[in-house]
Amino acid sequence: MSNKKKIFSEEIELSEIVLKKTNQAFEMIQQEDISYMEKTNMKSKKLFKTQVAAVAGVCMLAVSSISAVAAIHHYWGRGMKGNIQASEEQQQMLTDEKIAKVYYEDPENSSLAVTDSGITIKPDTVIVDERFVYMSFCISGYSVEDRSEPGFETVNVYQGENLEDDSAWVNMSGTMYNGIIPDENGVPVYEDGTSIENYEDGDIICRYIDSNGNMEYIIQASVVDENDTFLGKTMHIDFKNLGTLSKAEFIPAVEGNWNFEINLSDVSSSKNIQVGQKVEGTDFTIENINISPISMKVNYSVSTALAGNEDDFGIPEVQGVILKDGTRIPYLIDGGSLGYTDSSKCNAYQIAGFDRVIDVDEVAALIILTSYENEKVEISILK
């Protein structure tokens, strides 16, 4: 069983050392208070004030220790923030709750770096829930000419130990981070928010290299079996040979193998919501959804079995959400899968990853695409 821990908890646990010092300090204050009441000479008053000051210092040290822990900031890598956008508060929250892990913050993770042919690759940031895992890897020691697209010859991502085992398969996409993100309307812009000049002409100047001369490779992977989960699993990522890509052709530059074994968190951030509403204009009813800050699974029932070819599922697709304050995020979905749970086509599902982190408790409605004519409906999920 996975260790289920709800995100956005407001509880704060003090360390045993801090609690012990704090309790000792208050005991000393109580003891000195009693002693002072029993004594009347000036010497005892001076002793009392001195010791109270010392005790106050202990208390302040304990409180300062708490503040220092609370003040730690977690910053995701450049590529991860481009892959799935998040505010600093969201980055902090997901990392504190162990939904995300920033590898460079922990010196013990330095052993995970792999160097071959003078090029070092190391994991940077990993975010996971039941259905999706987002990973970024920092690459140092390799650069390309302007307007060249860097890439690997092959990248394999799989669960378990055997790549040939069917149960090891995942749905995966990966690329070098190019410094471009979608804005709130899905329009590509640079990561600093500036527009891309001549985008309509296809003349995009990609920004693969950061200020330190490094690049990042970003991966998004999702489960193949809709009943599978990534929580607590071990993920293997194997990179082979670096070079450049041109019109889907790989041009080799450096031979090498950089292989990683990443243990994924077993902490769940998902919430089940019963919906029970028919999607207008279709034969589908959304029975329930399972939603996390980074992805969603939608479960449908079908009133009439639909006929169609294998590529035309006819299943409505959630495209975005509406928040309680009225904010619309119409282009939230980035990758995923959909299908029927069995040959009878009485039940269907959609698994969808997000291009930005959301606050699950703030979602009020779903924006759903019902057909290929871009007809959209909104379904409230509030009770």
Side-chain angles (χ1 to χ4, degrees):
M1 293 294 289
S2 297
N3 174 25
K4 303 283 185 176
K5 180 177 179 182
K6 293 299 180 183
I7 195 168
F8 307 131
S9 170
E10 296 182 355
E11 295 181 0
I12 299 176
E13 295 184 2
L14 304 183
S15 69
E16 183 177 350
I17 294 175
V18 172
L19 285 173
K20 183 176 180 180
K21 288 184 176 181
T22 305
N23 290 334
Q24 289 176 342
F26 283 113
E27 287 176 0
M28 290 174 67
I29 290 174
Q30 290 176 340
Q31 291 172 359
E32 289 295 344
D33 191 32
I34 293 172
S35 299
Y36 175 67
M37 291 178 66
E38 292 177 349
K39 299 177 181 179
T40 57
N41 60 62
M42 294 298 294
K43 184 177 180 179
S44 66
K45 290 183 180 180
K46 183 178 180 180
L47 177 64
F48 172 74
K49 290 180 180 179
T50 302
Q51 291 185 339
V52 167
V55 172
V58 174
C59 291
M60 291 178 66
L61 177 61
V63 174
S64 297
S65 300
I66 300 169
S67 300
V69 172
I72 294 175
H73 291 286
H74 304 289
Y75 295 105
W76 300 353
R78 171 176 176 254
M80 182 57 70
K81 287 185 287 187
N83 193 16
I84 181 165
Q85 299 172 62
S87 67
E88 289 189 6
E89 290 181 356
Q90 290 170 328
Q91 293 174 49
Q92 182 82 13
M93 184 67 72
L94 266 65
T95 308
D96 285 343
E97 295 291 339
K98 303 191 184 304
I99 310 307
K101 182 172 183 178
V102 183
Y103 278 79
Y104 69 82
E105 292 181 344
D106 188 348
E108 293 184 1
N109 292 321
S110 60
S111 61
L112 294 177
V114 177
T115 300
D116 195 358
S117 299
I119 295 169
T120 299
I121 301 179
K122 56 186 177 181
D124 189 286
T125 309
V126 175
I127 312 170
V128 65
D129 71 358
E130 286 83 350
R131 298 163 291 274
F132 275 80
V133 56
Y134 298 80
M135 297 178 282
S136 65
F137 292 81
C138 179
I139 303 166
S140 57
Y142 180 69
S143 61
V144 295
E145 296 180 357
D146 289 345
R147 299 184 183 277
S148 294
E149 180 182 356
F152 292 95
E153 182 174 10
T154 61
V155 179
N156 290 319
V157 180
Y158 58 97
Q159 304 179 68
E161 302 298 329
N162 183 8
L163 178 59
E164 304 302 323
D165 189 341
D166 289 350
S167 64
W169 295 357
V170 301
N171 295 319
M172 173 266 180
S173 64
T175 185
M176 290 287 185
Y177 178 56
N178 60 10
I180 298 172
I181 61 174
D183 67 9
E184 58 185 10
N185 295 313
V187 177
V189 297
Y190 288 118
E191 57 191 334
D192 60 6
T194 58
S195 62
I196 298 175
E197 296 181 0
N198 302 321
Y199 172 69
E200 294 181 355
D201 297 329
D203 187 17
I204 302 175
I205 301 175
C206 296
R207 300 172 177 175
Y208 294 105
I209 300 175
D210 66 15
S211 58
N212 296 316
N214 300 326
M215 295 185 291
E216 288 192 38
Y217 193 86
I218 53 178
I219 293 173
Q220 181 198 74
S222 61
V223 295
V224 172
D225 183 343
E226 50 113 2
N227 294 313
D228 195 5
T229 179
F230 282 150
L231 295 181
K233 297 290 185 64
T234 298
M235 194 71 71
H236 290 264
I237 304 93
D238 299 341
F239 299 100
K240 180 179 179 180
N241 299 342
L242 267 166
T244 56
L245 304 174
S246 177
K247 298 180 179 179
E249 179 184 358
F250 175 75
I251 303 171
V254 180
E255 291 187 355
N257 291 278
W258 300 266
N259 301 330
F260 300 88
E261 183 178 290
I262 303 294
N263 296 318
L264 302 178
S265 170
D266 63 354
V267 179
S268 175
S269 57
S270 295
K271 180 178 180 180
N272 290 307
I273 300 176
Q274 295 298 317
V275 180
Q277 294 192 51
K278 192 175 187 298
V279 181
E280 183 181 350
T282 76
D283 293 311
F284 293 81
T285 296
I286 298 182
E287 296 296 342
N288 56 74
I289 64 172
N290 183 271
I291 183 172
S292 82
I294 63 171
S295 84
M296 173 190 310
K297 181 184 178 186
V298 185
N299 293 306
Y300 300 92
S301 62
V302 188
S303 58
T304 303
L306 301 178
N309 61 52
E310 293 182 356
D311 296 324
D312 185 4
F313 293 103
I315 301 170
E317 297 183 43
V318 174
Q319 296 286 300
V321 298
I322 302 172
L323 305 182
K324 291 177 180 178
D325 64 3
T327 300
R328 299 175 64 87
I329 310 176
Y331 301 101
L332 174 67
I333 303 307
D334 181 24
S337 60
L338 66 162
Y340 293 93
T341 59
D342 53 48
S343 59
S344 68
K345 294 187 176 181
C346 292
N347 295 283
Y349 67 89
Q350 177 190 3
I351 292 175
F354 300 157
D355 71 357
R356 67 200 64 202
V357 173
I358 64 170
D359 184 342
V360 172
D361 292 329
E362 291 302 312
V363 177
L366 308 176
I367 302 173
I368 302 172
L369 180 67
T370 62
S371 70
Y372 294 111
E373 283 74 34
N374 290 323
E375 296 178 5
K376 294 182 179 179
V377 299
E378 299 172 5
I379 291 185
S380 172
I381 62 173
L382 295 178
K383 297 296 183 182

